[in-house]
Amino acid sequence: MPTIHVTDRDGSQSSFEARPGLTLMEALRGAGYDSIEAICGGNCSCATCHVLIDPDWADTLPPRANDEDDLVADTDAYDETRSRLSCQIAVTDALDGLRLTVAPED
Amino acid sequence: MHVVIVGGGQAAQQTIASLRQGGFDGRLTLVGDEPVLPYQRPPLSKAYMLGELPAERLPLRPEPWYTERRVDLLLGRRVTAIDRSARRVQLDDGGALAYDRLVLATGARPRPLPVPVAAPDAVFDLRSLADVEGIRAGLQAGRRLVIVGGGYIGLEAAAVAHSLGLDVTVLERAERLLARVASPTLSEFYRQQHSRRGVAIRTGAQLTAVEAGGDGGLVTPVLASGERLAADLVLTGIGILPNAEMAAEAGLDVAEGIVVDRDARTSDPLIFAAGDCTRRPLVHHGGHGRLESVHNAVEQGKLAAAAILDQPRPAEDCPWFWSDQYDLKLQIAGLAAGSDHTVVRGEPEAGRFALFYFAGDRLRAVEAVNSAPEFLAAKKLIPAGARLDATAVADTSVKMRDLAAAALAAA
């Protein structure tokens, strides 16, 4: 299972193993990162699962779709290269070693 | 300190998360009457009903999450009474639990059909996992489904059933869809969207009975006009009723929902309530009301936890909500009640538009179809009490985020 390295909203750093088949949001939430609110449940409707991907990884992930782009681009913490809604990223083995930071609350 | 949470839905799960995040180290017990971990309800009428989301992905958190937070889970158990003077709740198995603080997250139940139903086996609610398990076997292509109620649940179910190849009819008693919750413009938009895909939308249609048997169907919904429909199954979506009876019996203030203040506190300072069961202050709109939404469950879970921990009150959003039907993503922020005019931004014909509701120059609500920037702007503008120029809103050559930034700077 791919290992994901997380810097949480309070600055604390930790790693966990994410199960392929879930979305990154579901994996984060299930691993106990309660700062990932994901209020809409992964529907790409709310932008409360916003994470900032390590710049080295930006090109590895599939690009943002239009609706993800619309939502995330209007958040205060938006970073054109790094911002992603974690509910829109499928966990695969290719994510092994991914580093991300939970975005500040909007 | 022992916090007992009654109910096993989203408000309950959020209360647990916020209590532990806030440093609560006392004892936590959740008593939920469904035999499963707290799960997401919105997909029940969307991806889960469609078969796109497996059941294992419905729970809000996996079981170890509760273990790590030292939560005693009493699932499939019901609280039958609250003894406020003894600070104790009675359980359905004869046991009892003493509490220091009690959180009522008892949710709501489907409003039952107010007509005689002679074929209850073919009539389904759409509220719980068990409801959906019941109806899913019947969702087979070619079958005739009659949906009673043209609200969000009914319309989402109609979209799913149509996608699965069923022959779908929606009966709505009012003269338009979504009559209680949306503008006439939005009602008409959704009528057209469903009609053109082949869903029969029958407004002004009053159901008077569901009879057993019939002409080739399993059940016969009968209308006030005397018309008899043939159906294989009937799904009801005519609203929900707050589970507030136990609170009322315990002497708490109840008025179409458990009455709470801004801290989600009931009329008993040791008892809180969160989610669909409450009637709450509408901070950004004035007055009190029931909000039946995930946003409300999450927000009140946080408010209750903060109040229990004697911590500052978290920010209160304006109400927000979403509904998915076909490829249409509807997002609503605010409450339209009390608005005096509406401005359309975008093109309804193009399936991408937003309706802005104003009271004077203050924005009260936005209904956004495939228009996330407008929805997000509204979520910020409404709580800020920002003023907006209606003419500017209608001009799509100006980006919504630029409009919003200017309005927020002036607020």
Side-chain angles (χ1 to χ4, degrees), chain B residues 135-196:
Chain B
I135 198 169
R136 278 218 299 191
L139 292 177
Q140 293 174 18
R143 290 205 176 165
R144 289 158 298 181
L145 169 66
V146 169
I147 295 173
V148 186
Y152 288 118
I153 290 288
L155 294 180
E156 288 176 1
V160 168
H162 173 75
S163 304
L164 294 172
L166 281 84
D167 177 358
V168 183
T169 300
V170 177
L171 303 178
E172 170 54 52
R173 185 176 61 170
E175 292 304 323
R176 61 182 178 93
L177 298 173
L178 303 169
R180 211 168 46 89
V181 289
S183 64
T185 307
L186 198 68
S187 299
E188 177 57 19
F189 175 77
Y190 277 101
R191 189 191 64 75
Q192 288 179 16
Q193 291 292 330
H194 284 277
S195 297
R196 81 165 193 228

Side-chain angles (χ1 to χ4, degrees), chain B residues 67-394:
Chain B
T67 314
E68 286 157 16
R69 281 155 190 76
R70 293 176 288 118
V71 181
D72 291 333
L73 288 173
L74 301 181
L75 301 177
R77 298 269 292 281
R78 191 184 294 272
V79 169
T80 55
I82 305 165
D83 182 345
R84 289 166 54 199
S85 56
R87 292 186 198 171
R88 196 169 54 199
V89 292
Q90 204 65 45
L91 301 176
D92 58 354
D93 64 356
L97 282 171
Y99 65 82
D100 297 297
R101 300 288 184 277
L102 185 65
V103 180
L104 301 174
T106 49
R109 61 187 182 276
R111 184 185 294 276
L113 280 180
V115 303
V117 174
D121 291 350
V123 179
F124 297 89
D125 292 321
L126 187 43
R127 174 77 187 167
S128 68
L129 192 52
D131 291 337
V132 187
E133 298 300 342
I135 198 169
R136 278 218 299 191
L139 292 177
Q140 293 174 18
R143 290 205 176 165
R144 289 158 298 181
L145 169 66
V146 169
I147 295 173
V148 186
Y152 288 118
I153 290 288
L155 294 180
E156 288 176 1
V160 168
H162 173 75
S163 304
L164 294 172
L166 281 84
D167 177 358
V168 183
T169 300
V170 177
L171 303 178
E172 170 54 52
R173 185 176 61 170
E175 292 304 323
R176 61 182 178 93
L177 298 173
L178 303 169
R180 211 168 46 89
V181 289
S183 64
T185 307
L186 198 68
S187 299
E188 177 57 19
F189 175 77
Y190 277 101
R191 189 191 64 75
Q192 288 179 16
Q193 291 292 330
H194 284 277
S195 297
R196 81 165 193 228
R197 288 172 170 89
V199 172
I201 300 290
R202 306 277 304 264
T203 52
Q206 173 101 44
L207 184 76
T208 56
V210 180
E211 296 180 359
D215 295 338
L218 297 174
V219 282
T220 302
V222 182
L223 304 185
S225 62
E227 189 181 351
R228 301 166 66 79
L229 306 173
D232 297 298
L233 58 169
V234 173
L235 198 153
T236 68
I238 56 170
I240 54 177
L241 300 170
N243 292 325
E245 288 79 0
M246 190 170 64
E249 284 160 17
L252 299 176
D253 276 357
V254 170
E256 294 173 17
I258 303 169
V259 177
V260 294
D261 65 12
R262 285 179 68 179
D263 295 315
R265 201 184 296 263
T266 69
S267 53
D268 180 329
L270 301 182
I271 304 181
F272 298 79
D276 286 354
C277 64
T278 68
R279 180 178 173 83
R280 59 168 285 173
L282 303 173
V283 178
H284 304 295
H285 293 82
H288 293 70
R290 292 189 47 236
L291 297 175
E292 302 162 356
S293 66
V294 169
H295 149 252
N296 180 54
V298 169
E299 181 166 286
Q300 288 188 311
K302 291 181 192 176
L303 292 168
I308 289 169
L309 296 172
D310 206 16
Q311 291 175 356
R313 181 189 296 145
E316 294 151 287
D317 274 344
C318 68
W320 63 274
F321 182 77
W322 76 93
S323 174
D324 291 340
Q325 296 163 48
Y326 310 111
D327 55 351
L328 304 167
K329 194 185 283 284
L330 170 66
Q331 295 162 296
I332 298 176
L335 298 170
S339 59
D340 51 30
H341 64 288
T342 311
V343 176
V344 182
R345 177 179 167 88
E347 296 293 328
E349 297 74 26
R352 188 176 177 91
F353 67 101
L355 299 166
F356 285 67
Y357 294 77
F358 289 92
D361 58 0
R362 280 187 198 275
L363 184 63
R364 306 312 291 151
V366 167
E367 296 166 342
V369 176
N370 292 337
S371 300
E374 281 71 15
F375 165 71
L376 287 176
K379 271 181 71 181
K380 291 178 181 168
L381 292 167
I382 293 167
R387 293 165 193 279
L388 267 184
D389 176 45
T391 317
V393 165

Side-chain angles (χ1 to χ4, degrees), chain A residues 19 21-23 26 29-30 32 34-37 39-41 43-46 67 70-71 73-74 76 106, chain B residues 17 21 40 56-57 59-62 65 69 294 298 302 320 322 324 329 331 352 372-373 375-376 380 401:
Chain A
R19 184 154 67 84
L22 299 179
T23 66
E26 290 172 312
R29 212 170 57 170
D34 288 340
S35 51
I36 298 285
E37 287 201 284
I39 294 178
C40 82
N43 211 44
C44 205
S45 286
C46 74
D67 51 352
D70 279 347
L71 277 169
D74 278 353
D76 294 337
D106 199 43
Chain B
Q21 271 182 306
Q40 317 171 63
E56 65 182 45
R57 286 169 70 181
L60 288 158
R61 297 291 187 278
W65 185 88
R69 281 155 190 76
V294 169
V298 169
K302 291 181 192 176
W320 63 274
W322 76 93
D324 291 340
K329 194 185 283 284
Q331 295 162 296
R352 188 176 177 91
F375 165 71
L376 287 176
K380 291 178 181 168
R401 80 180 60 128

